[in-house]
Amino acid sequence: MRDRAAEQLLDMVVSGGLSPGDRLPPERELVQRLGVSRTVVREALNLLEARGIVSIEHGRGAVVSDGSTSAVRDTLGMLLRMRAEVLWELLEMRQVLEVEVSGLAAERAGAEDVTAMRAQLDRMRALIDTPEGYVHADVEFHALLARAARNEVILTMLEPVVDLLRASREVSASRPGSARRALREHEEILRHVEEGNADGARREMRVHLANTAEDIEAALREGTLEVTENREREPT
Amino acid sequence: MRDRAAEQLLDMVVSGGLSPGDRLPPERELVQRLGVSRTVVREALNLLEARGIVSIEHGRGAVVSDGSTSAVRDTLGMLLRMRAEVLWELLEMRQVLEVEVSGLAAERAGAEDVTAMRAQLDRMRALIDTPEGYVHADVEFHALLARAARNEVILTMLEPVVDLLRASREVSASRPGSARRALREHEEILRHVEEGNADGARREMRVHLANTAEDIEAALREGTLEVTENREREPT
DNA sequence: CCTGCGGATATTGTCATACCAATCGGAGGG
DNA sequence: CCCTCCGATTGGTATGACAATATCCGCAGG
């Protein structure tokens, strides 16, 4: 019954013309409209919240979520906690997606994309000695690259993977010399993107990710890296 | 409170020495142990179920799940449904993932994978004149290929995309000659996989998906297939 | 007229209880 | 020895009440 109600609610959202930010009817009204008890309505809403469709706020109601991928990240994160070996699969997935993203970006990036990425590279250069800030800038660069690829679906799948690997990256970025090497590689990638050289961009990204994966493996061997998930809810 | 209870339960699972298949204590006992009402316990259990940690079975209890990826698949599926993604983006995503899957499968497939795929090709050959059954067998073949690639994460993320494209495929598969052509292409792919020729497998898969996409486009032009979004590639 | 305060109202969160539904196991009869 | 049925265990649903939080509106004061 819960699943049936959740399906009805999902239909209300997708084919009911509700946009992100809109509020669903209150629980007591959904009780009448769906003809089930409040218990079932609440469980259905909780399921949709766990799936990232809506966000339930105390005293306000259930609002349609923007297409945030945090639910996918959380679910993947718990999977990682139960089976640590999926870390390798995640790294491979990231490689598959980002290599292709580089190629697509080289074919589709506009001047404004290149400008934004160049500015981001400057920021990375400035933060190169503070691992935490550097990784943040690094992640942002990859996000800009993904946006230049002009494919929301790829972004939807890549985002949670990258999020999940962020902790690993912070450790690997603090290894001596790796940040500077990564910066050079980013510059190479951007150069190829700017020239519209898709194959070159793919090749450079493949090299870059191989090096990064090597850093992560090394950090794992040294025991510096703990494979856990930091579950923190968004701070409003 | 629900999240706190869920965290406690998750700790019970991961650091409590519970293996997949083990049963958690019944709800009424967790009520006493956690000091909260049954409502909260149930909501926490539902959250863990949505995240794929446990599987709740009526009359039996909550059993610790193996690290199945079905929760990730469901979450992604709902997310994609809500975003009503553009058809060409889905096709591109499918191409990115499946081309790489073919390459990985060529490197990693064992004899039993090849056997299963060959059997699946026979089934497709038998169903070649019934579009519906053929597409089902087709999907199954691609699933076997993905399994041979030995990366569950990629498989998990590919599935929702394929699901959304299924309707398009049923239409395109009914175009004259396309099913037979697709069958030949599948045979080529399998041949390369069998020989361990990763690049060849990638190339053949790329050809196959390009042809399939062409079929879908043609069906779109003929109005056989209705889609709300139109394909616009170039940004402003 | 504007501002800030306070209460009324709406809405979700938690609790307690009762009963329904599915599953399992063991007692009893064939 | 096997089958059946019944009771016990366990999750599923319904209901009503109250608490916690957010929103809105009117009113007093400037």
Side-chain angles (χ1 to χ4, degrees), chain B residues 189-215:
Chain B
I189 294 169
L190 179 54
R191 190 170 60 82
H192 284 114
V193 167
E194 198 172 357
E195 294 171 355
N197 180 356
D199 286 334
R202 286 195 187 89
R203 189 176 56 246
E204 285 303 323
M205 179 59 89
R206 203 172 287 124
V207 168
H208 168 54
L209 292 180
N211 285 333
T212 302
E214 218 167 276
D215 274 347

Side-chain angles (χ1 to χ4, degrees), chain B residues 58-77:
Chain B
H58 193 162
R60 295 197 43 194
V63 306
V64 178
S65 169
D66 56 350
S68 159
T69 59
S70 57
V72 180
R73 174 168 43 76
D74 292 347
T75 308
L76 264 176

Side-chain angles (χ1 to χ4, degrees), chain A residues 7-19:
Chain A
E7 195 63 33
Q8 287 179 317
L9 291 178
L10 181 60
D11 276 350
M12 272 183 58
V13 172
V14 296
S15 47
L18 277 71
S19 331

